[in-house]
């Protein structure tokens, strides 16, 4: 038996995985509140005869030690989103206002499937396999929570780490890429201060509504005039909040910003520009109090190691049919996965799994309507096609692991 021959037995467990996936989809839970999700994952792992560690309240790790060889860590995120589902699926979310709108239920189920296959075929590989189920990826709190709870001292040090994510690409495809594959992300809450007054007496005020408006406009020049052409950056003002009544000039305004970058040097320059512009506009407006900047939901850059990505890509190309493995384009979404391998100081790679109906995607691509006709992650209509997405995602986890552990 060659290392991957046992993957032919996956049909015998796919019904189990399909049922698991639908159950996880029906019962989504928000970040750091994934109690039932964690309990179900733990129960399934124990049914396979495996020991499970709780690391942070809802994070889980199981370790399969199988003789001499490398140590591989595979991670799946487990949290859902505050989104009301609108897919029409018979297994739609039963939790009002909460949905697995990013496909983390697929990630859980694929990793559980990979664990079962590897655990039942120990003669096909050698080394140590670590399956990590991480909470609260969506707000960048989960990886940190597990690290703060001593993750690096509670499991063997991996030699390499892997993660995958379903995306609105045609099902039956896997996209890989060395280098930056997901952007760094930062959210910023900016509070600017004015002087309140009656709406009929603007001359007695320093109007923070006008101040916030000038800041919003000025911020648009960062990407267009300060970031070098060819470099990537996004600066979005997602909210501008001030005042409560038409005839009251308030004394402060709040802006919520989000920025994305592929280069940490660019990130630092963008942040410096934001703070310079805000402080300058406050001074120009006559604000008598310095603005405040609160940074939160900060995601690291996901920057795939060249050697790790090459090994996984070759393994995928050797196992899957022609046309399955395709080059990825960098995505503007962000992740906290890389905090875990960075804490261990090990290489990692992160790949994408297609999850949209292939025929619908082909039709939309031909009509130039992919952006409008194919629901993306975080959409109320996002619904990965179970088959063959689940099978390919499960096999991808196993094939990636065997690129290091296979005999």
């Amino acid at each position: 038996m060659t290392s991957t021959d046992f993957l032919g037995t996956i049909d015998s467990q796919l019904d189990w995985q399909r049922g698991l996936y639908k159950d996880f989809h029906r019962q989504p839970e928000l970040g750091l509140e994934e109690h039932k999700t964690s309990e179900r994952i733990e129960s399934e792992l124990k049914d396979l005869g495996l020991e499970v560690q709780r690391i942070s309240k809802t994070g889980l790790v199981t370790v399969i030690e199988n003789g001499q060889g490398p140590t591989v860590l595979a991670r799946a995120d487990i949290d859902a989103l505050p989104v009301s589902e609108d897919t029409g699926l018979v297994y739609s979310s039963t939790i009002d206002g909460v949905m697995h709108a990013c496909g983390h239920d697929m990630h859980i189920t694929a990793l559980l499937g990979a664990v079962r296959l590897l655990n039942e075929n120990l003669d096909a590989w050698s080394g140590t396999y670590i399956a990590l189920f991480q909470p609260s990826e969506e707000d960048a709190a989960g990886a940190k929570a597990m690290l703060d709870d001593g993750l690096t001292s509670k499991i063997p040090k991996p030699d390499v780490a892997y993660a995958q994510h379903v995306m609105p690409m045609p099902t039956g495809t896997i996209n890989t890429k060395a280098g930056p594959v997901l952007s760094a992300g930062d959210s910023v809450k900016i509070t600017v201060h004015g002087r309140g007054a009656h709406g009929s007496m603007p001359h007695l005020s320093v109007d923070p509504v006008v101040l916030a408006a000038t800041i919003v406009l000025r911020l648009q020049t960062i990407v267009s005039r300060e970031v070098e052409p060819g470099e990537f950056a996004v600066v979005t003002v997602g909210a501008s909040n001030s005042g409560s009544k038409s005839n009251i000039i308030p004394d402060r305004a709040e802006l919520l910003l989000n920025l994305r970058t592929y280069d940490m040097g660019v990130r630092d320059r963008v942040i410096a520009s934001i703070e310079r512009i805000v402080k300058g506009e406050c001074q120009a407006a006559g604000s008598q109090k310095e603005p405040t900047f609160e940074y939160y939901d900060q995601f690291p850059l996901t920057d795939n190691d060249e050697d790790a990505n090459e090994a996984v890509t070759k393994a995928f190309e050797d196992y899957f049919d022609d046309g399955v493995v395709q080059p990825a384009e960098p995505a503007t979404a962000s992740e906290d996965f890389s905090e875990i391998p960075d804490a261990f100081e090990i290489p990692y790679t992160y790949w994408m799994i297609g999850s949209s109906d292939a025929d619908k995607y082909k039709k939309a691509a031909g009509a130039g309507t992919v952006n409008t006709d194919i629901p993306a992650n975080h959409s109320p209509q996002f619904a990965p096609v179970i088959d063959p997405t689940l099978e390919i995602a499960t096999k991808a986890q196993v094939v990636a692991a065997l690129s290091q552990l296979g005999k």
Side-chain angles (χ1 to χ4, degrees), residues 184 186 223 227 232-236 258-261 266 270 274 332:
D186 299 87
V223 174
V227 175
F232 166 79
V234 170
V235 177
T236 296
N258 187 256
L259 50 145
R260 307 284 170 139
T261 51
V266 173
V270 169
I274 290 170
T332 54

Side-chain angles (χ1 to χ4, degrees), residues 141-158:
K144 184 179 186 300
M146 296 188 77
L147 291 168
D148 287 347
D149 196 30
L151 174 67
T152 57
S153 64
K154 292 181 177 180
I155 63 173
K157 180 178 179 178

Side-chain angles (χ1 to χ4, degrees), residues 152-327:
T152 57
S153 64
K154 292 181 177 180
I155 63 173
K157 180 178 179 178
D159 295 296
V160 66
Y162 299 136
Q164 62 182 7
H165 206 297
V166 291
M167 297 292 279
M169 313 176 311
T171 190
T173 58
I174 302 173
N175 287 11
T176 67
K177 180 188 180 301
V181 67
L182 294 174
S183 68
D186 299 87
S187 290
V188 194
K189 176 183 174 181
I190 300 172
T191 303
V192 296
H193 302 275
R195 184 169 60 246
H198 196 287
S200 67
M201 305 173 188
H203 58 292
L204 300 179
S205 75
V206 173
D207 192 335
V209 177
V210 175
L211 172 57
T214 62
I215 290 171
V216 171
L217 291 175
R218 182 68 177 173
L219 289 173
Q220 308 310 307
T221 66
I222 295 175
V223 174
S224 67
R225 288 296 176 268
E226 297 188 34
V227 175
E228 182 178 341
E231 291 183 329
F232 166 79
V234 170
V235 177
T236 296
V237 180
S240 178
N241 304 310
S242 186
S244 60
K245 201 170 186 293
S246 63
N247 66 345
I248 299 174
I249 296 173
D251 66 351
R252 69 189 62 200
E254 178 185 282
L255 297 172
L256 300 180
L257 274 64
N258 187 256
L259 50 145
R260 307 284 170 139
T261 51
Y262 291 142
D263 181 282
M264 301 311 285
V266 173
R267 172 187 175 273
D268 291 344
R269 295 199 304 273
V270 169
I271 288 174
S273 296
I274 290 170
E275 295 194 5
R276 186 196 74 238
I277 287 170
V278 171
K279 291 175 182 177
E281 292 295 340
C282 286
Q283 185 177 14
S287 178
Q288 296 174 342
K289 187 176 180 180
E290 287 292 307
T292 60
F293 302 86
E294 178 186 340
Y295 292 87
Y296 64 99
D297 286 359
Q298 292 184 285
F299 293 85
L301 179 68
T302 304
D303 190 4
N304 285 343
D305 178 80
E306 186 171 351
D307 291 338
N309 183 76
E310 182 179 358
V312 166
T313 300
K314 184 179 186 306
F316 289 163
E317 290 173 342
D318 289 345
Y319 179 79
F320 291 103
D321 293 338
D322 290 345
V324 171
V325 184
Q326 301 174 7

Side-chain angles (χ1 to χ4, degrees), residues 53-57 59-61 63 73 130 132 141-158 339-340 343-344:
Q53 291 188 71
R54 285 285 183 125
I55 301 180
S56 77
K57 290 183 180 179
L60 300 165
V61 175
V63 179
L73 182 148
I130 303 169
L132 184 150
K144 184 179 186 300
M146 296 188 77
L147 291 168
D148 287 347
D149 196 30
L151 174 67
T152 57
S153 64
K154 292 181 177 180
I155 63 173
K157 180 178 179 178
E339 291 189 17
I340 293 172
F344 282 105

Side-chain angles (χ1 to χ4, degrees), residues 81 101-104 107 138 165-169 333 355 374-380 382-384:
L81 285 159
C102 204
H104 296 184
H107 304 165
E138 294 292 354
H165 206 297
V166 291
M167 297 292 279
M169 313 176 311
S355 64
I374 304 298
N377 306 67
H378 292 215
S379 163
F382 183 70

Side-chain angles (χ1 to χ4, degrees), residues 24-25 27-35 37-38 41 58-59 75-83 98-108 132-143 165 297 299 334-337 378 382:
F24 286 129
H25 193 85
Q27 298 291 323
E29 295 175 296
L30 297 176
L32 302 180
E33 299 176 7
E34 311 96 331
H35 302 291
T37 303
S38 292
I41 294 169
T58 52
R75 172 273 209 172
D77 38 13
I78 68 173
D79 55 322
L81 285 159
V83 173
V98 183
M99 175 193 175
H100 268 298
C102 204
H104 296 184
D105 45 355
M106 185 67 72
H107 304 165
I108 301 167
L132 184 150
F133 298 85
Q134 181 210 301
S136 200
E137 177 276 328
E138 294 292 354
D139 57 7
H165 206 297
D297 286 359
F299 293 85
S334 301
E335 255 274 13
D336 67 346
F337 158 68
H378 292 215
F382 183 70

